[in-house]
Amino acid sequence: MKIYTRRGDNGSTGLFGGGRTSKDDVRVEAYGTVDELNAVIGGTLNQVTERAIIRRLRRVQSDLFAIGAHLATPPPTGDRRAPALPDLPVERVAAMESWIDQAMSATPPLRNFILPAGNPGATELHLARAVCRRAERRVVTLAASSDVDPEIVRYLNRLSDYLFAAARQENAGGGGSDIEWRA
């Protein structure tokens, strides 16, 4: 099977469910940044040592595929119906809140801002958090002009919180510590 079609050589791309749009369209930016986040998490898995974080991030990667499918699907029009989409992982938000609480209880109390640094796994988790925040911003931009399920924004917001907490947990579990910001 060939992976190139040549249809995008003019700067356009196909959307899930039909239709084409420019590769710099706000919708493409949104689902593209979610895809980038998924790839960053994939790389992060090579550095993280805490087993619970690894298990959770693998679930998150599947969730991000479902979210990407929803974002890549424009609202149906007169002649174009919505394709079958995977369910959004709305139940994962509550699970992530539990994960955050567990991670934060395993680390010293926060007294100051911390730098996005530490051992290799924590550093990669901080990078994933920053990309997640960008994905969230891109989805909010899309939601200003098109129907976007608000659960997607909620999911990404909570995921960035979890990635922060997981970075702290990874630092603590690896015998390291957070590096406090000093002005």
Side-chain angles (χ1 to χ4, degrees), residues 77-99:
T77 60
D79 62 335
R80 188 176 64 224
R81 293 199 260 172
L85 292 169
D87 291 336
L88 284 174
V90 296
E91 74 288 344
R92 192 83 65 226
V93 171
M96 283 191 280
E97 290 173 355
S98 173
W99 301 349

Side-chain angles (χ1 to χ4, degrees), residues 16 25 42 45 48 50 56 77 132 136 145 150:
F16 195 50
D25 184 86
L45 288 166
V48 170
E50 293 290 314
R56 292 166 178 168
T77 60
C132 186
E136 181 183 7
S145 63

Side-chain angles (χ1 to χ4, degrees), residues 56-69:
R56 292 166 178 168
L57 291 181
R58 290 199 190 285
R59 284 187 215 147
V60 164
Q61 283 194 292
S62 292
D63 294 349
L64 291 174
F65 262 99
I67 288 169

Side-chain angles (χ1 to χ4, degrees), residues 23 69 75 78-79 105 110 112 114 118 122 135 142-143 145 148 156-157 175 177:
K23 289 184 179 182
D79 62 335
S105 70
L110 271 176
N112 294 305
I114 61 169
L142 174 61
S145 63
V148 172
L156 293 171
N157 186 40
S177 62

Side-chain angles (χ1 to χ4, degrees), residues 128-140:
R129 176 195 48 78
V131 174
C132 186
R133 286 289 187 206
R134 181 160 31 94
E136 181 183 7
R137 292 189 303 271
R138 297 298 183 263
V139 171
V140 167

